[in-house]
Amino acid sequence: MAARSDSELCEAIRQAEATMRAAMAVQLKAIAEAERRGLHAEHSARRTEVWLQEMLNIAPGEAKSRVLVARMATERTTPQGAPAPAELPATAEAIASGAITLHHARVIVDGVRRLAPISSIDQLEQAEAMLAGYAIKFSPHYLARLAERTRYYFDQDGAFQQEETQRKIRELNYGTAADGMTVINARLDRETGAKFRAVIEPLAAPSPSEDGEHDPRTAGQRNADALEAVLDLAIASDRVPRSGGQRPHITVTIDFEDLKRGLASAEAGGLPGMLTATNQPITAENVRRLACDAEILPIVLGGEDVPLSIGRTERTAPPHLRAALLHRDGTCAFPSCDRPPGTPDAHHIESWIDGGSTDLENLVMLCGHHHRAVHNRNWQITMVNGRPTFTAPSTVDAVRTPRPGGRPTGIEQNNILRRTIPRPRPPEATEACA
């Protein structure tokens, strides 16, 4: 293969696909005949798909697809030896010609089976022929959407009743696992599911790293990060129901001595704090990060768990200061950040717990991803001429070259142009005509 040209490789792939489709068409006819003869019973199997699964060592779903398609979309032979047309003739013809795959055929079979209880024979024939025709052009995923829309067209009352039933059986359950993580399980009706996807998917889009590498997060991790961003938006909103006259907030309790030990060194032996909403422990280092922004209320306890002090409300950036930060930094000041828009955190350059002030010179906007990176990987942030500058740890950049952050401004862009493009020389003066 290595010696073949690009066009030869493409042709080899096409020929292999055509061969596999032709072989599948032959196998489907053989499966249909085997089922007519009842071969599965001779091999002590309860059903044809179980016998096929064991004989071919294929997945149960794959075996079921082959049997269903063979049963409904292949020509048969009657016990008297006469040929009998397929139940789905247009699909059978497309399979025999190699125009569609097994997955296309399974979508058509499922679509027709859902239509059968609520459609006339003519409607079923029209729907099957239409789906088989479009299967030649479109993917199985798109074809499944077309089949579902066809069902809605033929049975609008039934579709409405199904939507109402989905609304009644909706559910969302959550709990705390043994390791302290929150486990969520949900079944959402169509409307709520569409809202969920519309909010989650843009926030869960992959984000390449600053060096151009692919996003290392799994799809599940990206979805979890997107849900976190949605919760940040909800907590920051004034429209979320209040409890005790306050906006939703997270309360963290921690002993003062444990806080000092935990921030001094991970090996200092300080005990963790506690998230009061879930009664789960949390490290002092994460208390430091949480205290940067959002409605999180650190309560520092004495030896008898008596509050010594409660976090000052000035800890969080007020609206006018956040507006100034967004103007200066954008949604994230970290160099080359291209995270999807969300609710950024106003990070204290000198930690609020260490006495850092909540003002423009000590705050920088960071997205959730880079907020964690700054805390966990010890990035250094300094203010140079009123703008944040980031210095990577030696594990990331051995030279530790400072990198300007924040949102580029028109003035900075003009300065770049002046440095790189010479100013045009003015035209020489000429004497006026007499």
Side-chain angles (χ1 to χ4, degrees):
M1 289 292 177
R4 296 192 178 189
S5 65
D6 292 352
S7 59
E8 289 173 337
L9 281 176
C10 292
E11 183 59 27
I13 293 171
R14 293 191 190 96
Q15 288 296 331
E17 178 65 20
T19 301
M20 289 189 293
R21 293 188 184 188
M24 179 59 68
V26 173
Q27 188 188 69
L28 290 174
K29 290 182 179 180
I31 292 172
E33 178 63 19
E35 185 171 54
R36 185 187 70 81
R37 298 183 185 184
L39 289 185
H40 64 280
E42 295 183 13
H43 291 79
S44 302
R46 292 185 299 110
R47 299 187 308 275
T48 302
E49 49 263 47
V50 175
W51 167 64
L52 200 66
Q53 175 190 343
E54 294 177 353
M55 181 174 64
L56 301 181
N57 191 26
I58 57 178
E62 179 70 14
K64 184 176 181 179
S65 291
R66 296 187 192 185
V67 171
L68 283 175
V69 173
R71 188 178 295 156
M72 298 184 67
T74 58
E75 294 182 354
R76 293 172 172 266
T77 302
T78 65
Q80 293 76 28
E87 188 173 342
L88 304 179
T91 307
E93 183 179 350
I95 292 172
S97 65
I100 64 174
T101 67
L102 176 71
H103 299 297
H104 287 99
R106 175 63 192 272
V107 169
I108 298 172
V109 168
D110 289 344
V112 171
R113 292 174 73 192
R114 292 191 184 100
L115 287 170
I118 47 90
S119 303
S120 65
I121 295 177
D122 289 342
Q123 288 176 325
L124 283 177
E125 291 177 351
Q126 293 172 1
E128 189 259 338
M130 178 201 60
L131 292 172
Y134 278 103
I136 299 173
K137 305 176 182 179
F138 298 120
S139 69
H141 180 72
Y142 182 93
L143 192 67
R145 292 185 177 181
L146 180 60
E148 180 70 356
R149 185 171 290 273
T150 304
R151 184 177 69 85
Y152 264 57
Y153 177 71
F154 283 163
D155 185 27
Q156 296 182 20
D157 291 338
F160 176 78
Q161 290 301 323
Q162 183 188 51
E163 291 176 354
E164 291 298 293
T165 300
Q166 290 179 354
R167 181 68 181 170
K168 292 178 181 178
I169 65 173
R170 71 194 185 281
E171 60 178 340
L172 188 150
N173 302 296
Y174 60 92
T176 304
D179 62 357
M181 296 189 74
T182 296
V183 180
I184 301 173
N185 183 41
R187 283 171 56 85
L188 306 178
D189 59 88
R190 293 188 180 213
E191 181 180 344
T192 308
K195 294 177 184 177
F196 177 81
R197 295 175 70 102
V199 172
I200 289 292
E201 288 181 350
L203 296 171
S207 296
S209 62
E210 57 195 68
D211 56 3
E213 294 294 326
H214 293 296
D215 193 331
R217 299 173 299 163
T218 65
Q221 290 171 332
R222 289 189 278 108
N223 289 336
D225 292 346
L227 179 59
E228 180 187 17
V230 172
L231 295 176
D232 288 342
L233 287 167
I235 289 176
S237 172
D238 287 330
R239 301 182 65 181
V240 176
R242 296 170 179 254
S243 176
Q246 294 181 331
R247 286 170 52 190
H249 63 272
I250 300 171
T251 302
V252 180
T253 60
I254 188 168
D255 184 88
F256 183 62
E257 295 300 322
D258 290 324
L259 176 62
K260 290 195 298 183
R261 284 192 291 267
L263 294 181
S265 170
E267 291 79 26
L271 294 174
M274 185 182 72
L275 292 162
T276 59
T278 58
N279 293 324
Q280 294 174 288
I282 185 170
T283 62
E285 183 58 34
N286 270 327
V287 172
R288 176 195 290 269
R289 177 179 59 80
L290 289 173
C292 277
D293 198 20
E295 286 300 322
I296 297 148
L297 185 63
I299 301 179
V300 181
L301 304 175
E304 301 298 327
D305 280 357
V306 177
L308 293 178
S309 64
I310 298 179
R312 294 162 289 136
T313 56
E314 290 80 3
R315 175 195 74 264
T316 59
H320 71 278
L321 188 52
R322 289 183 68 90
L325 288 167
L326 287 169
H327 177 75
R328 186 193 69 190
D329 300 338
T331 54
C332 183
F334 197 90
S336 302
C337 175
D338 60 353
R339 296 278 294 171
T343 301
D345 299 332
H347 167 74
H348 287 73
I349 297 173
E350 180 184 2
S351 174
W352 177 83
I353 290 177
D354 294 333
S357 59
T358 303
D359 56 38
L360 197 60
E361 289 298 312
N362 192 48
L363 291 172
V364 60
M365 281 298 196
L366 295 173
C367 67
H369 173 77
H370 286 123
H371 196 181
R372 284 183 170 79
V374 166
H375 277 277
N376 298 338
R377 300 183 183 178
N378 298 318
W379 281 74
Q380 181 182 353
I381 305 176
T382 55
M383 299 298 293
V384 178
N385 297 325
R387 300 189 66 79
T389 298
F390 293 75
T391 302
S394 57
T395 54
V396 176
D397 180 4
V399 182
R400 305 201 68 198
T401 304
R403 302 164 61 186
R407 183 169 59 182
T409 65
I411 295 175
E412 292 174 343
Q413 293 168 352
N414 288 341
N415 289 336
I416 293 172
L417 291 174
R418 292 190 185 100
R419 288 196 301 269
T420 56
I421 302 177
R423 180 185 293 275
R425 296 180 60 184
E428 297 182 357
T430 57
E431 295 183 0
C433 296

